[in-house]
Amino acid sequence: MSANVLHIKEAFTLESGAVLPELRIAYHTYGTLNADGSNAVWVCHALTANSDVVNWWAGLIGDNCVIDPAKHFIVCANILGSCYGSSGPLTHNEATGHPYFQTFPTVTIRDMVQAHILLRKHLGIDKIHLLIGGSMGGYQVLEWALAEPAAIEKLFLLCTGASESAWGIAIHTAQRLAIEADCSWQDANPQAGARGLKAARAIGMLTYRNYQTFVRTQSDPDKDKTDGFRAASYINYQGDKLVNRFNAQTYWLLTKAMDSHNIARGRAADMATLLGQLSHPTLLMGITSDILCPPEEQLFLEKHMPNATYHEIDSSYGHDGFLIEFEQIGGILKAWMRF
């Protein structure tokens, strides 16, 4: 494993027209690129993850897994706008000598992909054998496949869609309202908006899981309780856990980036025609109980992508199932990679 930061001391122009005077991209690599460069596997991560993919997707990626550093050269880059080493609200603004905090400019999924492309070139990867992404990671995969179709061979997409849904935008708006209700959220310090971030995470947890999951795992056996419920404790725990590792201004920024996701934006073709241009062999995966990005989103992709194969996992874990059900996912991926 190798953890690095690529520091590009040149201006990086965002889709909005705003310019970053320089760019930092934190990334991890595992394994070695082979002589003919045919074994690169790139993973695009979701909202609050980092570039250490073997840590957060253990069981699917790592030693003796279906994606194995003994066979593959695995790359995961921290997305632009995040707080895990890439340029974002917590990085220093060279113009002021202080962190950007809430002044960091708006970014889009396409901006993230352009940063990935710079890293791909820096690493000497001419062809990505398999490009993987779940949820927001899948947004990046679709954008990248349109931006550089010849640089990618195969796609693996989980619990994702061609554009952010009205449902997703509404959820993100509610989360940002929670952050904005914290009067400290625009303060110039890393702890700004912590209470708001905790509330935003609570909203998110209700969409990452579902009714069945909470009833099964968080119900109280004590019928006489009037307070101190397990479900409440769980939500508080998850909120505190995120606050201890993430940043409210980053969360606000990245949910805005998710809302921007629409592969047809600014392109001449309609969505169906545009998806028809993605001729890469593609494995699509949905989860029966996912209420955040339900299977109908993946079925739309299957309908319009000419070389797509769809599998649906029966899981009670909802949207989070793509991070949990690694045995089911790995088995399907392994069989598909053999074709």
Side-chain angles (χ1 to χ4, degrees):
M1 179 190 78
S2 177
N4 300 277
V5 177
L6 173 62
H7 187 187
I8 300 172
K9 297 181 180 180
E10 296 176 5
F12 182 80
T13 303
L14 301 167
E15 190 179 358
S16 67
V19 178
L20 296 175
E22 59 179 16
L23 183 66
R24 293 180 183 271
I25 306 170
Y27 67 97
H28 278 70
T29 64
Y30 316 81
T32 304
L33 189 65
N34 60 15
D36 62 2
S38 62
N39 69 333
V41 175
W42 196 298
V43 182
C44 297
H45 73 72
L47 179 60
T48 64
N50 56 35
S51 59
D52 189 4
V53 62
V54 168
N55 181 50
W56 54 261
W57 224 350
L60 186 67
I61 298 175
D63 294 338
N64 302 312
C65 296
V66 60
I67 305 298
D68 189 338
K71 302 175 183 177
H72 306 107
F73 179 54
I74 305 160
V75 182
C76 184
N78 184 224
I79 54 176
L80 176 65
S82 186
C83 54
Y84 288 121
S86 292
S87 294
L90 298 188
T91 56
H92 274 72
N93 180 350
E94 292 301 316
T96 66
H98 301 287
Y100 281 95
F101 293 123
Q102 81 281 4
T103 67
F104 195 81
T106 299
V107 299
T108 66
I109 301 298
R110 291 181 190 175
D111 293 326
M112 296 172 188
V113 168
Q114 290 305 310
H116 291 337
I117 290 171
L118 292 176
L119 178 59
R120 176 189 68 75
K121 293 175 179 178
H122 170 76
L123 294 174
I125 300 173
D126 295 323
K127 183 83 73 172
I128 297 172
H129 174 62
L130 179 63
L131 184 59
I132 302 174
S135 189
M136 185 187 187
Y139 297 176
Q140 298 161 58
V141 169
L142 287 166
E143 278 289 350
W144 200 344
L146 286 165
E148 286 196 315
I152 301 158
E153 291 183 349
K154 299 177 183 179
L155 312 177
F156 179 28
L157 296 159
L158 308 93
C159 303
T160 197
S163 64
E164 186 59 84
S165 68
W167 171 240
I169 292 169
I171 292 165
H172 300 152
T173 301
Q175 292 178 302
R176 289 192 297 272
L177 285 171
I179 290 172
E180 292 163 7
D182 183 335
C183 62
S184 73
W185 92 276
Q186 292 194 27
D187 290 353
N189 68 74
Q191 289 75 44
R195 290 186 297 263
L197 178 59
K198 182 175 179 177
R201 182 62 164 184
I203 295 168
M205 288 305 302
L206 300 180
T207 68
Y208 301 150
R209 303 296 175 90
N210 52 47
Y211 172 89
Q212 289 78 12
T213 304
F214 273 87
V215 169
R216 187 183 75 253
T217 64
Q218 303 301 328
S219 291
D220 281 283
D222 182 0
K223 64 179 179 9
D224 295 322
K225 264 192 176 182
T226 60
D227 201 356
F229 296 102
R230 288 176 63 178
S233 176
Y234 177 75
I235 286 294
N236 273 288
Y237 166 76
Q238 290 293 342
D240 289 336
K241 188 176 177 182
L242 185 68
V243 166
N244 288 333
R245 70 174 180 87
F246 216 70
N247 168 258
Q249 293 162 354
T250 299
Y251 200 92
W252 191 97
L253 181 82
L254 294 183
T255 58
K256 277 284 191 180
M258 291 178 76
D259 290 353
S260 79
H261 173 56
N262 188 322
I263 62 170
R265 185 180 72 256
R267 295 186 169 111
D270 62 26
M271 188 71 78
T273 303
L274 200 57
L275 288 170
Q277 297 175 14
L278 295 176
S279 58
H280 311 76
T282 301
L283 176 61
L284 297 167
M285 203 168 290
I287 294 176
T288 53
S289 59
D290 187 351
I291 63 172
L292 181 58
C293 194
E296 63 192 80
E297 296 275 349
Q298 296 89 62
L299 289 169
F300 180 82
L301 296 176
E302 181 202 25
K303 181 179 179 180
H304 298 292
M305 295 175 73
N307 289 318
T309 301
Y310 177 69
H311 287 267
E312 194 164 299
I313 293 175
D314 187 14
S315 170
S316 63
Y317 285 107
H319 190 69
D320 270 356
F322 88 91
L323 296 170
I324 297 170
E325 301 283 8
F326 59 84
E327 289 186 3
Q328 288 192 69
I329 295 169
I332 295 167
L333 177 59
K334 185 175 182 180
W336 178 80
M337 287 177 70
R338 289 186 183 135
F339 84 94

